[in-house]
Coordinates of all heavy atoms in Angstrom, one line a residue:
L200 N -12.2 -11.1 0.3 CA -12.8 -12.2 -0.5 C -13.7 -13.1 0.3 O -14.8 -13.4 -0.2 CB -11.6 -13.1 -1.0 CG -10.8 -12.5 -2.2 CD1 -9.5 -13.3 -2.4 CD2 -11.5 -12.4 -3.5
Y201 N -13.4 -13.4 1.5 CA -14.2 -14.3 2.3 C -15.6 -13.6 2.6 O -16.6 -14.3 2.6 CB -13.5 -14.5 3.7 CG -14.3 -15.4 4.6 CD1 -14.4 -16.8 4.5 CD2 -15.1 -14.7 5.7 CE1 -15.1 -17.5 5.4 CE2 -15.8 -15.5 6.5 CZ -15.8 -16.9 6.4 OH -16.6 -17.7 7.3
H202 N -15.6 -12.3 2.8 CA -16.9 -11.6 3.1 C -17.5 -11.1 1.8 O -18.5 -10.4 1.9 CB -16.6 -10.5 4.0 CG -16.3 -10.9 5.4 ND1 -17.2 -11.4 6.3 CD2 -15.1 -11.0 6.1 CE1 -16.6 -11.7 7.5 NE2 -15.3 -11.5 7.3
K203 N -17.0 -11.5 0.6 CA -17.6 -11.2 -0.7 C -17.7 -9.7 -1.0 O -18.6 -9.3 -1.7 CB -19.0 -11.9 -0.8 CG -18.9 -13.4 -0.7 CD -20.2 -14.1 -1.0 CE -20.2 -15.6 -0.7 NZ -19.1 -16.3 -1.2
V204 N -16.8 -9.0 -0.4 CA -16.7 -7.5 -0.7 C -16.1 -7.3 -2.0 O -16.4 -6.4 -2.8 CB -15.9 -6.8 0.4 CG1 -15.7 -5.3 0.1 CG2 -16.5 -7.0 1.8
I205 N -15.1 -8.2 -2.4 CA -14.5 -8.2 -3.7 C -14.6 -9.6 -4.3 O -14.9 -10.6 -3.6 CB -13.0 -7.8 -3.6 CG1 -12.2 -8.7 -2.7 CG2 -12.9 -6.3 -3.1 CD1 -10.7 -8.4 -2.7
S206 N -14.3 -9.7 -5.6 CA -14.3 -11.0 -6.2 C -12.9 -11.3 -6.9 O -12.1 -10.3 -7.1 CB -15.4 -11.1 -7.3 OG -15.1 -10.2 -8.3
E207 N -12.7 -12.5 -7.3 CA -11.5 -12.8 -8.0 C -11.4 -12.0 -9.3 O -10.3 -11.6 -9.7 CB -11.4 -14.3 -8.3 CG -11.3 -15.2 -7.1 CD -11.1 -16.7 -7.4 OE1 -11.0 -17.0 -8.6 OE2 -11.2 -17.5 -6.5
Q208 N -12.6 -11.8 -10.0 CA -12.6 -11.1 -11.2 C -12.2 -9.6 -11.0 O -11.5 -9.0 -11.8 CB -14.0 -11.2 -11.9 CG -14.1 -10.5 -13.2 CD -15.5 -10.6 -13.8 OE1 -16.4 -11.1 -13.2 NE2 -15.6 -10.2 -15.1
S209 N -12.7 -9.0 -9.9 CA -12.5 -7.6 -9.6 C -11.0 -7.3 -9.3 O -10.5 -6.2 -9.6 CB -13.3 -7.1 -8.5 OG -12.9 -7.6 -7.2
L210 N -10.3 -8.4 -8.9 CA -8.9 -8.2 -8.6 C -8.0 -8.0 -9.8 O -6.9 -7.5 -9.8 CB -8.3 -9.4 -7.8 CG -8.7 -9.6 -6.4 CD1 -8.3 -10.9 -5.8 CD2 -8.2 -8.4 -5.5
Q211 N -8.6 -8.3 -11.0 CA -7.9 -8.1 -12.2 C -7.7 -6.6 -12.6 O -6.7 -6.3 -13.2 CB -8.6 -8.8 -13.4 CG -8.6 -10.3 -13.3 CD -9.3 -11.0 -14.4 OE1 -10.1 -10.4 -15.1 NE2 -9.0 -12.3 -14.6
T212 N -8.6 -5.8 -12.1 CA -8.5 -4.3 -12.5 C -8.3 -3.4 -11.2 O -8.0 -2.3 -11.4 CB -9.7 -3.9 -13.2 OG1 -10.9 -4.2 -12.5 CG2 -9.8 -4.5 -14.6
F213 N -8.5 -4.0 -10.0 CA -8.2 -3.2 -8.8 C -7.9 -4.1 -7.7 O -8.6 -5.1 -7.4 CB -9.4 -2.3 -8.4 CG -9.1 -1.6 -7.1 CD1 -8.2 -0.6 -7.0 CD2 -9.8 -2.1 -5.9 CE1 -8.0 0.0 -5.7 CE2 -9.5 -1.5 -4.7 CZ -8.6 -0.5 -4.6
K214 N -6.8 -3.9 -7.0 CA -6.3 -4.7 -5.9 C -6.3 -3.8 -4.6 O -5.4 -2.9 -4.6 CB -5.0 -5.3 -6.2 CG -4.6 -6.4 -5.1 CD -3.3 -7.1 -5.6 CE -3.5 -7.9 -6.8 NZ -2.3 -8.7 -7.2
P215 N -7.1 -4.1 -3.6 CA -7.0 -3.3 -2.4 C -5.6 -3.5 -1.8 O -4.9 -4.5 -2.0 CB -8.0 -4.0 -1.5 CG -9.0 -4.7 -2.4 CD -8.2 -5.1 -3.6
S216 N -5.2 -2.4 -1.0 CA -3.8 -2.5 -0.5 C -3.7 -1.7 0.8 O -4.4 -0.7 1.0 CB -2.8 -1.8 -1.6 OG -1.5 -1.8 -1.1
V217 N -2.6 -2.0 1.5 CA -2.3 -1.2 2.7 C -1.7 0.1 2.3 O -1.1 0.2 1.2 CB -1.3 -2.0 3.7 CG1 -2.0 -3.3 4.2 CG2 0.0 -2.3 3.0
C218 N -1.8 1.1 3.2 CA -1.3 2.4 2.8 C -0.1 2.9 3.7 O 0.5 3.9 3.5 CB -2.4 3.4 2.9 SG -3.7 3.1 1.7
N219 N 0.1 2.1 4.8 CA 1.3 2.4 5.6 C 1.9 1.1 6.1 O 1.3 0.1 5.9 CB 0.9 3.3 6.8 CG 0.0 2.6 7.8 OD1 -1.1 2.1 7.4 ND2 0.3 2.5 9.1
R220 N 3.1 1.2 6.6 CA 3.8 0.0 6.9 C 4.4 0.0 8.4 O 4.7 1.1 8.8 CB 5.0 -0.3 6.0 CG 4.6 -0.5 4.5 CD 5.7 -0.8 3.6 NE 6.4 -2.1 3.9 CZ 7.3 -2.6 3.2 NH1 7.7 -2.0 2.1 NH2 7.9 -3.7 3.5

Side-chain angles (χ1 to χ4, degrees):
L200 285 167
Y201 178 82
H202 290 283
K203 302 188 186 311
V204 177
I205 60 174
S206 66
E207 293 183 10
Q208 183 179 9
S209 70
L210 286 172
Q211 294 180 337
T212 53
F213 172 75
K214 189 174 293 184
S216 177
V217 298
C218 296
N219 63 307
R220 298 181 65 173

